[in-house]
Amino acid sequence: MSKKIILSGIQATGNLTLGNYLGAINNWKKMQEDYECNYMIADLHTLTIRNNPENLRKNTLNLLALYISAGINPEKSNIFIQSHVAEHAELAWILNCYTYMGELSRMTQFKDKSAKHADNINSGLFTYPVLMAADILLYQADLVPVGEDQKQHLELTRDLAERFNSIYGETFKVPEPFIQGVAARVMGLQEPTSKMSKSSSIPNDSIFLNDEPDVILKKFKKAVTDSENIVRFDVKEKPGISNLISIYSAITGKTKQDIEKEFEGKGYGDFKVAVAEAVIEELKPMQEKYKELKDNPDYLEKIYKTGAEKAKIIANKTLKDVYEKIRISFIEERKYECLQIMLK
Ligand code: TYM
């Protein structure tokens, strides 16, 4: 039996958080043995927010180094950079023509980001989920491992695949979101009712993957809790402590009940230190490897070039089928280009 196909990605916006790690990368790593995995660095998506262009290339390569440091093995998984495979932008245009304005206006991420960046509500921000659908559908992915916040985008992807298939016949596999684990939605340490985010402007709200151990400890010590001083899981009444329990559970594999028992009679101080230490230990090997890899551009180049070639073969096959279905002519040279890559 052939393995199920996975596709996922992270935006190359620099500074990843513990949320990105527990909600995405950590699960990706575990899936490599049992699935055919494609992990993409989403650089085109980052253009929807104004960033310093100098940083984009650096962030893209750094994210590649981070994927590998975190245990994504290029021998097992196909790792590539989104913009290297032009089919993503092409399919996004086609899918745009099958997506309704109403659907995109309902996307909570669009609403959040347009409130945050009121001076730059560009149409890319609006159609962002369509590019994400193209990313996924090109690879005929069965499963898309993401954090909870991407669920709505996945639902749109499924709707688009079903819509296209119902008009033109079976073209895209309809993917399932794969949202796993107790940390599918890691919350901010200072604002535990909002998700931990790369772009949070609140000091000490996010743990970044490159934070030094003393910074991690300090941030956890300052985490907002409540006055009960009992380690007990209750998202409604105790969002701060519940978030810390989820983080600790995701890293140690202990259940929430075990954690409550372990810290019975102990105060929040002890618990916060235990969570911080678990996070520090978990991130340590990745941080060490990252320091080595990020200054090895030749190695990284080899990985992303091979990745792009493999990705192109798959993406090109799907796009060709789409073009045939909608009767857009597909120039022959393109087939040859693909063939040449395959023969290499
Ligand atoms: P991005 O870059 O915002 O986040 C990358 C991944 O991290 C997860 N995540 C979280 N999980 C748990 N708790 C959090 N606080 C948290 N914050 C982020 C996200 O759910 C995501 O899985 N649109 C996507 C990138 C993308 C993509 C794709 C993903 C582009 N094309 C195709 C899957 C498939 C995004 O902005 O993720």
Side-chain angles (χ1 to χ4, degrees):
M1 235 176 59
S2 59
K3 288 181 176 176
K4 286 200 166 170
I5 300 169
I6 299 278
L7 180 123
S8 198
I10 297 182
Q11 289 195 67
T13 36
N15 270 358
L16 258 56
T17 70
L18 187 62
N20 298 125
Y21 179 77
L22 294 178
I25 306 180
N26 199 30
N27 293 331
W28 297 1
K29 185 167 64 182
K30 296 176 194 153
M31 298 176 96
Q32 295 181 101
E33 303 302 329
D34 302 321
Y35 299 92
E36 199 177 306
C37 299
N38 299 283
Y39 296 129
M40 178 191 84
I41 290 146
D43 56 348
L44 294 176
H45 276 97
T46 67
L47 302 176
T48 53
I49 306 289
R50 287 276 176 276
N51 290 302
N52 179 352
E54 289 305 314
N55 290 340
L56 181 54
R57 214 169 270 172
K58 193 176 81 203
N59 288 342
T60 301
L61 286 188
N62 284 351
L63 186 52
L64 173 60
L66 193 93
Y67 279 9
I68 302 168
S69 315
I72 308 300
N73 180 347
E75 305 283 321
K76 291 183 185 160
S77 299
N78 189 30
I79 310 176
F80 66 95
I81 297 170
Q82 182 186 32
S83 62
H84 292 181
V85 185
E87 283 79 356
H88 290 244
E90 289 187 76
L91 182 61
W93 169 252
I94 307 284
L95 293 178
N96 263 314
C97 302
Y98 295 83
T99 311
Y100 303 118
M101 303 283 283
E103 287 175 309
L104 293 175
S105 340
R106 283 195 291 276
M107 295 290 131
T108 50
Q109 193 164 305
F110 170 69
K111 289 185 204 161
D112 289 351
K113 288 204 172 162
S114 37
K116 240 186 196 167
H117 305 275
D119 56 337
N120 181 26
I121 308 176
N122 59 73
S123 51
L125 191 64
F126 191 61
T127 57
Y128 175 115
V130 183
L131 178 58
M132 181 164 160
D135 298 337
I136 297 165
L137 299 180
L138 276 176
Y139 297 85
Q140 306 289 351
D142 293 281
L143 296 172
V144 185
V146 281
E148 184 79 38
D149 62 324
Q150 297 298 315
K151 198 170 168 195
Q152 200 185 23
H153 291 162
L154 258 297
E155 278 158 11
L156 178 73
T157 304
R158 288 172 56 84
D159 289 346
L160 292 182
E162 279 166 0
R163 185 171 306 153
F164 197 95
N165 288 350
S166 76
I167 304 174
Y168 297 105
E170 209 52 34
T171 310
F172 298 120
K173 201 175 280 169
V174 181
E176 298 278 345
F178 189 84
I179 299 171
Q180 253 218 338
V182 279
R185 190 173 183 84
V186 177
M187 309 306 268
L189 298 186
Q190 292 300 313
E191 239 184 45
T193 46
S194 308
K195 76 163 187 176
M196 185 181 283
S197 150
K198 293 172 201 165
S199 56
S200 172
S201 54
I202 309 165
N204 303 314
D205 197 46
S206 300
I207 299 286
F208 294 107
L209 298 185
N210 59 359
D211 277 346
E212 295 291 339
D214 58 327
V215 175
I216 296 178
L217 183 62
K218 185 191 83 183
K219 286 183 178 174
F220 275 109
K221 280 187 172 168
K222 289 193 169 175
V224 164
T225 50
D226 53 77
S227 54
E228 194 186 44
N229 213 25
I230 296 174
V231 177
R232 182 170 64 80
F233 191 85
D234 181 341
V235 175
K236 263 212 170 122
E237 299 296 322
K238 297 160 71 71
I241 277 296
S242 303
N243 186 37
L244 297 185
I245 293 177
S246 298
I247 293 172
Y248 192 60
S249 167
I251 290 176
T252 59
K254 294 175 186 171
T255 64
K256 289 170 184 162
Q257 291 79 2
D258 287 345
I259 297 169
E260 289 175 350
K261 250 197 208 131
E262 185 181 341
F263 290 93
E264 219 169 60
K266 295 181 187 158
Y268 290 164
D270 286 353
F271 180 52
K272 285 177 169 182
V273 172
V275 181
E277 282 173 353
V279 171
I280 291 167
E281 277 312 299
E282 174 75 13
L283 300 185
K284 203 165 136 194
M286 178 176 77
Q287 291 181 336
E288 282 168 5
K289 184 118 200 258
Y290 177 71
K291 278 183 195 149
E292 249 174 63
L293 277 184
K294 84 179 184 31
D295 296 320
N296 196 340
D298 294 344
Y299 170 71
L300 296 176
E301 185 181 331
K302 225 168 68 197
I303 304 292
Y304 71 65
K305 278 192 168 163
T306 312
E309 287 186 359
K310 283 194 212 158
K312 236 178 162 11
I313 291 169
I314 310 169
N316 199 272
K317 190 163 171 256
T318 303
L319 188 70
K320 179 174 176 283
D321 185 28
V322 169
Y323 278 180
E324 272 172 9
K325 295 257 169 61
I326 58 178
R327 300 288 186 266
I328 280 192
S329 60
F330 189 83
I331 55 166
E332 289 302 309
E333 289 88 67
R334 204 154 166 160
K335 282 187 223 159
Y336 296 135
E337 185 194 322
C338 197
L339 204 65
Q340 276 166 4
I341 294 171
M342 284 162 94
L343 293 174
K344 255 191 206 166

